[in-house]
Amino acid sequence: MTHTHLYSEQFNEDRGEMIQRALEAGVEKMLLPNIDRASIVGMMELEQIPWKMFPNDWFAPLFCWKYGYEEELAEMRQWLEKRKFLAVSIQD
């Protein structure tokens, strides 16, 4: 198992190939910690690869400058109320 941000725009051109290489190298599961609320949609789209990708809700103060921490916490809470995540991380 590894963690990855493959949902990020920088991987748009070769995301499929990168996932394939990881699987061929023996990676069986990938944690997908989101960076901020703008990354949630892309993260959830990767979850559609069954039993391989696991969204991970998290709060990273480093990235909260875009929206403010109150808004980030509110968004995180809404997602936690909607569904379960494999993990919730808080980065300081």
Side-chain angles (χ1 to χ4, degrees), residues 29-76:
K29 296 180 181 169
M30 300 176 206
L31 287 177
L32 302 170
N34 68 317
I35 298 167
D36 56 23
R37 69 174 116 160
S39 66
I40 292 174
V41 172
M43 179 184 70
M44 295 300 191
E45 288 173 354
L46 282 182
E47 180 183 35
Q48 303 308 311
I49 301 171
W51 305 108
K52 299 291 182 192
M53 305 283 187
F54 298 91
N56 175 200
D57 203 4
W58 82 332
F59 176 69
L62 173 66
F63 295 102
C64 289
W65 60 269
K66 290 181 189 176
Y67 311 107
Y69 75 92
E70 294 95 349
E71 291 85 359
E72 287 291 315
L73 285 173
E75 182 83 16
M76 184 178 187

